[in-house]
Amino acid sequence: MQAKERGRVYRTLFWSTFQLSACTFGGGFVIVPLMRRKFVEGLHWLEEQEMVDITAIAQSAPGPIAVNASILVGYRVAGAPGALVTVLGTVLPPLIIISLISLCYAAFRANPVVNLAMKGLLAGVAAVICDVVWTMGAAVLGGRRAMPAIVLLLAFLAVQVLEVNIMLVIALCGLAGAADTWLRGRRGAGEGRT
């Protein structure tokens, strides 16, 4: 990639993540479908399955999911410099907004209009999270394999019914996914030899 093209990619990565982060309320689960829309549907820099994989890794890694996802998207698109650019674009808006709010937090928090606006934003956040579950869940569960649906159901039951530690569930889901991938690879290699 030439220097001019690389500069354009870095600018696009920075401004895309900056705008997404500046206009997103509700955390990482809200920014993920917006990243998907921008980088998969809009720019066509990622495939749908890559975004699903990025989301899974970002959610299981320690730290905020929005920052983790931006690191992975930036790295996938433009390597380590791309990851640095997207992290900067993702972290700057909340840092600026929180710094400004902290200057007048007491007056800001006591304002009833602000409190009502924040409650209204919660409804929007819930709708966006439902969109993530519906859209990305269809990508994971679509197809003829039962393994993702079984792991999803077992993980839900383990956390909600049996109250198993979430870190253990994440580790076991990762092992199940690795085992499934390994077995499919062996089957594919065996079929290739026949």
Side-chain angles (χ1 to χ4, degrees):
M1 193 176 345
Q2 295 178 350
K4 191 173 186 178
E5 176 69 15
R6 208 172 22 242
R8 187 187 66 76
V9 169
Y10 293 153
R11 279 191 302 278
T12 303
L13 281 171
F14 177 80
W15 285 113
S16 296
T17 53
F18 187 91
Q19 290 168 344
L20 290 173
S21 184
C23 300
T24 304
F25 289 89
F29 289 112
V30 176
I31 202 169
V32 167
L34 300 175
M35 287 179 120
R36 180 187 155 278
R37 194 165 291 130
K38 181 69 174 181
F39 295 110
V40 175
E41 295 174 2
L43 296 170
H44 304 288
W45 285 354
L46 299 171
E47 297 293 323
E48 183 73 39
Q49 187 58 46
E50 286 178 305
M51 194 64 208
V52 170
D53 294 341
I54 284 171
T55 303
I57 294 168
Q59 185 176 356
S60 6
I65 188 173
V67 174
N68 293 344
S70 69
I71 289 170
L72 295 168
V73 167
Y75 186 80
R76 171 64 183 87
V77 171
L84 291 172
V85 166
T86 54
V87 165
L88 192 60
T90 302
V91 171
L92 273 178
L95 181 67
I96 293 167
I97 292 167
I98 290 172
S99 297
L100 292 173
I101 289 174
S102 69
L103 296 174
C104 53
Y105 177 75
F108 188 75
R109 185 68 186 146
N111 188 324
V113 174
V114 171
N115 284 329
L116 288 173
M118 291 299 180
K119 287 181 182 177
L121 286 173
L122 289 176
V125 168
V128 172
I129 290 174
C130 287
D131 178 56
V132 171
V133 171
W134 186 261
T135 305
M136 299 190 93
V140 171
L141 298 175
R144 298 180 179 215
R145 297 182 48 242
M147 176 70 160
I150 293 168
V151 169
L152 175 71
L153 180 63
L154 291 175
F156 177 78
L157 291 173
V159 172
Q160 294 300 319
V161 177
L162 302 175
E163 297 180 2
V164 176
N165 184 311
I166 190 73
M167 295 307 294
L168 178 61
V169 171
I170 289 171
L172 291 174
C173 288
L175 288 173
D180 182 51
T181 302
W182 181 74
L183 288 172
R184 284 189 294 129
R186 284 193 55 150
R187 273 189 227 126
E191 290 171 5
R193 281 183 269 179
T194 58

